[in-house]
Amino acid sequence: MLSKLPIDKFRTLRTPFYYYDANLLRQTLHTINDEAGKYPGYHVHYAVKANANLKVLRVINDAGLGIDCVSGGEIEQVLKAGFPADKIVFAGVGKSDWEIELGIDSGIFCFNVESIPELQIINQIAVQKGKKANVCFRINPNVGAHTHANITTGLAENKFGIAMDDMEGVISLAKQMSGIEFKGLHFHIGSQILEMDDFIALANRINELQDRLEARGIFCEIINVGGGLGIDYNNPEANPVPNFRDYFATYHNHLQLRPGQSVHFELGRSVVGQCGMLITKVNFVKQATYKQFAIVDAGMTDLIRPALYDAHHKAVNLTSKGEKETYDLVGPICESSDVFDKDIQLSAVSRGDLIALLSAGAYGEIMASGYNCRRLPEGYISDEL
Ligand SMILES: *Cc1c(COP(=O)(O)O)cnc(C)c1O
């Protein structure tokens, strides 16, 4: 993977920039289609909030995945990339009226609804337009996930979803609304989840909820289990493709489906995480009292995950074969949290070296900001270089 990088080409591009390995992305998508394809009625949507680069989106669209959006801007972006509207699901706790209108006008597949006030507005807008909106309810399953506190979403204390106790009430309300077509249930418990037990806990909870609904004669056509499968940030070269086999098999083995039900997945990080890297140039090597700093031209504005989630991206010096030395790898932003990693081993660094921060395909480029009036990083895909 690293040995095949077009380093000479990299030297001609303005740093920092994102680089996406299209072949690894295609291989990942192929594995997803193979593994999900073993089970009838399994549909995979790509959660576009992980990476909305058009070049990346077009490769994903070629593989036939559906889409999970969390904003009107994302709907616009995926339509531009060529995704069919009828494969879009639309989640989010705070949808604005224009976003709901856009969803209805473009004919998206389903709204994942997170509250009664939201349901009422979707109904009102749909009725005004003489249309019916398909709706799944996002239920907060009160299931924890073994991941960073800022990326758990399925606990009762989180802002997401409708409480389990309110489920039957909301569904019967929806069934009385002329602008709403009730389709099923939606869940999403968090991100960067590597323990299959967490997904088993969700499947068990869904089984309980389905039993409750069945006792009331309520049928769900769709069970949407969300996303959350993690990637190996520590050893990306050894594990470039996440374990989709175990992931889909876990749901197959634990989720009890009723005849005619389809299962929808919303995978973000696991689709694009490993295919991307951030390439940055070393501006200075600074010897300080206790530390040796490699100061690069990328900062938290380009890749915020280390500052935001204590995330770790493996760093590699692409242009030096020197002896390993210990560095703090830091950016130029005026914030003490603008540190990619501390006390890491890199081949001896000198000014002008190119450093790759690996596993940066998800929640990297899309989260870049212009803080400090910085330019947004460019994103290149291997097919074009
Ligand atoms: C963020 C998100 C996802 C994708 O999560 P990953 O951990 O990237 O797979 C899926 N569904 C919803 C509703 C989300 O908010």
Side-chain angles (χ1 to χ4, degrees), residues 46-50 68-70 91-92 112 114 138 153 160 186-188 190-193 224-230 265-271 362-363:
Y46 166 60
V48 65
K49 79 169 190 277
D68 165 47
C69 290
V70 292
N112 292 327
E114 307 210 14
R138 178 169 181 173
T153 54
F160 300 100
H186 172 238
F187 305 85
H188 177 65
S191 200
Q192 184 54 17
I193 299 168
N224 184 332
V225 297
L229 178 62
F265 298 85
E266 302 170 337
L267 296 172
R269 187 190 312 271
S270 55
V271 180
Y363 307 106

Side-chain angles (χ1 to χ4, degrees), residues 104 119-135 137 170-182:
I104 292 176
L119 179 70
Q120 287 165 335
I121 295 301
I122 294 178
N123 178 52
Q124 192 184 314
I125 293 176
V127 168
Q128 273 164 13
K129 293 179 180 291
K131 299 211 173 141
K132 245 181 190 315
N134 288 340
V135 157
F137 288 112
V170 197
I171 294 174
S172 42
L173 189 63
K175 286 183 179 264
Q176 295 157 21
M177 292 177 164
S178 60
I180 299 292
E181 182 76 34
F182 170 71

